[in-house]
Amino acid sequence: SSGSLSMSHPKFVAAMDSLKEFRARLARIQTVKGQFELLVRFDEESTPLWGLYQQALLGDIRVPKRNYTDPAEQSTMWGWRRGNEKWHAWNRCKGLTREEATTSFIEGVHSLLGKVEEMIEEWRDDQDPRVPDRVAVEAAEDRREERREGRERAKDERRTRDAWMTSA
């Protein structure tokens, strides 16, 4: 079967091993230093790769969404949440051939592991109270014009509302 093709592909196996090894390092950091945030964030970043992995091994998803939970999670809520994310990650790969998914998985792992140091610094910045919140700053830049227009509208409304005071 072509499902075993991925597992016999040396680069696929090496990429999976690298991903597992790095995740295990983060799990050890979580246990030793209590830095669970890094592991949670890494899992979020690597979820699309999980979808490609499943697509490479099994092909299109045939599991109903409502029943999909992550058995590795001890908490029911987290099991459902991670299962839901994984289901969507796999479902987004629908239609890819196993060969395409294998190639995308290998490239995705190399890309993710290549930017890990930068991501870890970003995650640490997000936790450091001395560093402005990146998401809020980006949102603020996107909404600068909207805020300016809102201020102008508010000024006009105040002028109209308070006009009686200047005419009296």
Side-chain angles (χ1 to χ4, degrees):
S1 104
S2 59
S4 59
L5 174 71
S6 296
M7 290 312 289
S8 64
H9 192 298
K11 287 183 178 178
F12 182 84
V13 174
M16 190 63 221
D17 288 346
S18 297
L19 197 62
K20 283 181 179 177
E21 187 179 299
F22 189 80
R23 190 183 184 286
R25 278 182 30 213
L26 288 179
R28 282 193 300 277
I29 290 171
Q30 173 191 348
T31 305
V32 174
K33 296 185 178 179
Q35 294 182 351
F36 70 93
E37 182 76 10
L38 292 178
L39 183 62
V40 169
R41 295 256 184 123
F42 183 77
D43 282 348
E44 288 171 356
E45 291 286 332
S46 62
T47 299
L49 295 174
W50 185 88
L52 289 167
Y53 176 80
Q54 292 295 97
Q55 186 73 14
L57 290 180
L58 304 171
D60 287 346
I61 190 167
R62 290 188 282 283
V63 178
K65 179 176 178 256
R66 61 183 161 65
N67 296 332
Y68 209 79
T69 58
D70 187 346
E73 292 291 345
Q74 293 169 355
S75 150
T76 305
M77 184 206 59
W78 277 101
W80 178 85
R81 181 178 180 268
R82 288 290 300 147
N84 190 41
E85 290 167 355
K86 286 180 170 184
W87 187 92
H88 282 288
W90 189 3
N91 192 49
R92 279 191 287 277
C93 298
K94 214 175 223 176
L96 285 178
T97 66
R98 291 179 178 180
E99 291 74 20
E100 291 168 335
T102 298
T103 302
S104 295
F105 175 79
I106 294 166
E107 291 169 357
V109 169
H110 289 302
S111 171
L112 178 65
L113 295 180
K115 62 182 184 178
V116 152
E117 295 306 317
E118 174 188 323
M119 288 183 342
I120 288 175
E121 279 307 309
E122 206 172 81
W123 297 337
R124 287 187 176 141
D125 285 349
D126 288 349
Q127 292 180 330
D128 191 331
R130 297 166 299 183
V131 178
D133 183 351
R134 177 175 39 90
V135 176
V137 168
E138 288 169 3
E141 288 171 1
D142 292 344
R143 303 189 69 185
R144 187 171 291 139
E145 184 62 24
E146 184 182 322
R147 280 198 320 276
R148 190 191 62 70
E149 290 170 1
R151 279 195 306 274
E152 292 298 321
R153 210 173 25 257
K155 270 191 224 175
D156 289 344
E157 289 170 8
R158 282 194 304 272
R159 282 188 198 115
T160 305
R161 183 194 68 206
D162 298 340
W164 66 272
M165 291 194 303
T166 55
S167 61

